[in-house]
């Protein structure tokens, strides 16, 4: 008696069916690619229309930029991924952020010897605005953050550390773990921190506090003040508000441009 | 302009600084006055302006005196401004720069930018009105006359109406823009879904898909800014665009690399290339993806990633390992060196100097002395003198 599905004949038949299925699969993918190509063209037209009406809005209105970015993120699109993307080409968002990236890098390099590669978002904002000149488009702090997030791809050690309602921007590949970050946050109020401050606020043992502070010293992010009243103060130049108003010297600018 | 009073500029107890901005000029109504370059400070209680050249010249107006504020966009040759409409000065106001003024408003001109953030913070303070709940000297509060803001001079009513109209129109523009944006996003989302379904097909076929189809697909993803659902990279290497870019880079970077001893960090390359382009700039990811293809395309440069994560471009002819030998000589001559000292001697960036010394250490030629004074490298005598 013939049993179905068994024997060389059945196997050969199955193989043929699989092959045909795969072939159909090929055709399906081809179809879908063709469909995608068509839809892409249509989308491009819609984007062109949108750009003709609202390109200025994006350029001028930072809140609109934020909305735009958030919406893109929600649906899984990164308008800043490539300068060759539609978004960049038609809305001009790319150039805006990539140029900002260059300016951020230059400011961080110029000031690195002062603050060890750590700078508050406020100071970075001030210095970038100064560098952009009178006729350039104004930028918001949100714009800076987005540009910095993109810069991470360059493997430079750019990091964004939240402290007391604002952010510290790290621009050198220094290793900063949770302990270091927490101490930076503690220092934010007064610009310095002591071993006692750390023990009181964070409940750490002396040794742990000392290690963290030593690491910050080694990385050039903190300065040691042995003449302070009481115990040694560890100052963070990144948090000196007086420095905001200081110009970048010609020498520092030379240091920034390779 | 007669609402301002002279002040020391020092903050009172309970008064906190919110934001400050350099390069601000004050106008009395539409008129330029002598206060043309100062730092504007916003506190929880006041707007303070201090002359940049003469710090003694410092004046303030309480926020309680502000009726409302509006923005004035920048134009050609004109900085962005904030217009501040003020209540009349109280009779018992302390002395200030002007005894009287025709205008019930002032303008703040942001010649060094910063208007956007300042306006945002000022609006917040005007909404929160923290000066009402945080006690401060009477002079900050006593400015409103009989009722807080209820009595308005005639001129202000007209201004308010104009402002309301302008707001409505701006709102309309904004909401139209948002509406159009939402519609656009719906279409973009369709593209994302389609790309996911195609990616699934590709995954299922496991190698039956042609090279050509893969390249096409990747370029579609690149245009839309969609991350490749298979590799999770946003259009990783393999697109025509990145190949072309890699070839361009090889051309552009040859000379700069030779000038810099054969090696440059990717950050330097990013700045160099984009500064040269001026427009149609490269995204950081574009640069990285193009550089990943350099070696495969047999171009005379290559991308290298150090253990620390630092990424560099090297000339193919550049042998970092050979540079290590000369680094060892330099360190030996001086006894010991930090990255900064080495960088200065050799004429390299500190970042790359550090990488070279670390590589030398990895190869066993140098030892480190890690202390609070910094990281210092010594010749590895354990190796040579045993």
């Amino acid at each position: 008696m013939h049993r179905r599905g068994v024997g060389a004949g059945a196997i050969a038949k199955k193989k043929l069916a699989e092959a045909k299925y795969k072939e159909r699969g090929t055709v399906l993918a081809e179809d879908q690619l063709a469909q995608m190509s068509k839809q892409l063209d249509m989308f491009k037209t819609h984007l062109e229309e949108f750009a003709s009406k609202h390109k200025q809005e994006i350029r001028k209105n930072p809140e609109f930029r934020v909305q735009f970015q958030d919406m893109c993120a929600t649906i899984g699109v990164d308008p800043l991924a490539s300068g060759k993307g539609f978004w960049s080409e038609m809305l001009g968002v790319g150039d805006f952020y990539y140029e900002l990236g260059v300016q951020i890098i230059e400011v961080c390099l110029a000031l690195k010897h002062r603050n060890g590669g750590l700078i508050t978002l406020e100071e970075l904002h001030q210095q970038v605005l100064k560098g952009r000149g009178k006729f350039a488009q104004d930028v918001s702090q949100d714009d800076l953050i987005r540009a910095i997030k993109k810069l991470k791809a360059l493997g430079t050690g750019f990091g964004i550390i939240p402290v007391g309602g604002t952010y510290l921007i790290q621009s050198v590949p220094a290793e900063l773990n949770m302990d270091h970050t927490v101490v930076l946050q503690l220092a934010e109020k007064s610009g310095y921190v002591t071993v006692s401050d750390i023990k009181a606020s964070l409940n750490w043992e002396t040794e742990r506090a000392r290690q963290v502070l030593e690491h910050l010293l080694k990385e050039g992010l903190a300065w040691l003040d042995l003449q302070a009243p009481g115990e040694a103060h560890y100052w963070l130049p990144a948090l000196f508000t007086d420095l905001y108003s200081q110009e970048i010297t010609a020498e520092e600018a030379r240091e920034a441009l390779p | 302009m007669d609402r301002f009073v002279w002040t020391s500029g020092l903050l009172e107890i309970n008064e906190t600084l919110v934001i400050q901005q350099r390069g601000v000029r004050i106008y009395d109504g539409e008129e330029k006055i002598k206060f043309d370059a100062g730092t504007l400070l916003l506190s929880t209680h006041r707007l303070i302006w201090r002359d940049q050249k003469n710090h003694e010249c410092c004046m303030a107006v309480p926020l309680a005196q502000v009726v409302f504020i509006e923005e004035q966009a920048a134009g050609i040759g004109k900085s962005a401004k904030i217009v501040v409409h003020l209540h009349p000065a109280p009779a018992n106001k302390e002395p200030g720069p002007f005894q009287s003024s025709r205008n019930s408003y002032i303008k703040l001109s942001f010649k060094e930018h910063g208007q956007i953030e300042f306006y945002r913070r000022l609006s917040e303070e005007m909404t929160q009105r923290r000066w009402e709940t945080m006690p401060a000297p009477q002079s900050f509060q006593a400015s409103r006359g009989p009722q807080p803001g209820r009595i308005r001079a005639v001129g202000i009513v007209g201004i308010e109406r104009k402002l309301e109209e302008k707001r409505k129109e701006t709102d309309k523009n904004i909401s139209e823009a948002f509406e159009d944006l939402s519609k656009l996003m719906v279409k973009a989302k369709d593209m994302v879904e389609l790309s996911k379904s195609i990616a699934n097909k590709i995954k299922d076929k496991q190698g039956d898909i042609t090279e050509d189809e893969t390249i096409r697909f990747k370029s579609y993803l690149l245009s839309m800014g969609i991350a490749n659902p298979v590799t999770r990279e946003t259009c990783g290497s393999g697109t025509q665009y990145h190949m072309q870019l890699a070839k361009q880079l090889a051309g552009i970077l040859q000379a700069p690399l030779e000038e810099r001893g054969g090696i440059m960090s990717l950050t330097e390359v990013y700045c160099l290339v984009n500064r040269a382009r001026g427009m149609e700039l490269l995204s950081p990811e574009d640069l990285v993806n193009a550089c990943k293809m350099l070696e495969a395309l047999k171009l005379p440069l290559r991308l290298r990633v150090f253990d620390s994560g630092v990424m560099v471009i090297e000339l193919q002819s550049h042998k970092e390992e050979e540079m290590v030998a000369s680094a060892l000589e330099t360190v030996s001559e001086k006894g010991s060196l930090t990255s900064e000292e080495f960088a200065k001697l050799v004429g390299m960036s500190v970042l790359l100097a550090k990488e070279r010394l670390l590589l030398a250490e990895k190869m066993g030629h140098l030892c480190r002395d890690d202390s609070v004074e910094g990281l210092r490298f010594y010749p590895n005598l354990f190796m040579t003198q045993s």
Side-chain angles (χ1 to χ4, degrees), chain B residues 16-27:
Chain B
T16 350
L17 182 65
V18 173
I19 186 175
Q20 65 184 26
Q21 177 61 47
R22 275 174 46 109
V24 179
R25 175 187 206 128
I26 303 191
Y27 290 68

Side-chain angles (χ1 to χ4, degrees), chain A residues 22 30 32 40 46 53-54 64 67 78 81-83 86-87 95 98 106 133 136 150 155-156 218 258, chain B residues 113 174 178 180 187 191 197 208 213 220 223-225 260 267-268 270 275 280-281 283 285-286 309 370-371:
Chain A
K22 276 218 168 109
E30 178 59 45
Q32 283 205 299
L40 215 57
H46 286 126
K53 283 161 77 181
H54 303 297
F64 194 54
Q67 280 288 338
D78 181 0
S82 171
F86 287 162
W87 308 97
D95 279 8
Y98 308 147
E106 288 176 347
K150 283 285 130 193
T156 45
K218 265 199 277 199
Chain B
H113 298 299
I174 299 277
F178 279 134
D180 287 346
K187 299 192 173 82
M191 301 298 305
S197 126
D208 277 15
E213 285 171 340
Y220 296 159
S223 303
M224 283 300 299
R260 288 164 181 72
T267 329
E268 287 177 88
Y270 177 78
R275 279 263 177 245
E280 286 179 24
L281 304 181
S283 76
E285 281 158 75
D286 285 336
D370 212 352
S371 70

Side-chain angles (χ1 to χ4, degrees), chain B residues 1-3 28-29 65 67 84-88 101-106 153 155-156 159:
Chain B
M1 226 14 240
D2 60 336
R3 278 66 156 177
D28 179 13
Q65 282 240 263
V67 179
V84 184
H85 297 267
L86 299 160
H87 284 290
S101 170
R102 287 181 307 185
N103 301 295
S104 63
Y105 67 97
I106 57 158
I156 293 191
I159 293 172

Side-chain angles (χ1 to χ4, degrees), chain A residues 147-160:
Chain A
I148 292 168
K149 283 189 178 155
K150 283 285 130 193
L151 287 178
K152 288 188 185 211
L154 298 176
T156 45
F158 265 96
I160 303 174

Side-chain angles (χ1 to χ4, degrees), chain A residues 84-103:
Chain A
K84 196 78 178 138
F86 287 162
W87 308 97
S88 184
E89 284 184 338
M90 274 178 258
L91 292 177
V93 274
D95 279 8
F96 177 82
Y97 285 100
Y98 308 147
E99 188 186 9
L100 193 52
V102 172
Q103 290 160 348

Side-chain angles (χ1 to χ4, degrees), chain A residues 58-60 65 92-107 123-141 143-144 147 247-248, chain B residues 111-114 116 275 281:
Chain A
I58 292 208
R59 235 172 44 84
K60 292 203 183 148
R65 276 201 291 279
V93 274
D95 279 8
F96 177 82
Y97 285 100
Y98 308 147
E99 188 186 9
L100 193 52
V102 172
Q103 290 160 348
I104 291 170
I105 290 171
E106 288 176 347
V107 166
E123 185 177 359
L124 181 61
H125 189 214
Q126 294 282 337
Q127 298 282 11
V128 165
L129 285 178
K130 262 194 241 169
R132 281 168 77 87
K134 292 178 75 92
F135 300 109
Q137 191 66 36
D138 200 354
V139 298
S140 69
Q141 289 183 358
D143 291 328
L144 288 177
E247 304 285 332
I248 293 183
Chain B
K111 305 173 75 182
E112 293 181 23
H113 298 299
I116 298 178
R275 279 263 177 245
L281 304 181

Side-chain angles (χ1 to χ4, degrees), chain B residues 243-254:
Chain B
M243 279 195 261
Q244 281 169 5
L245 198 47
K247 291 181 193 151
Q248 274 178 30
L249 286 172
I252 300 170
L253 294 174
Q254 185 77 25

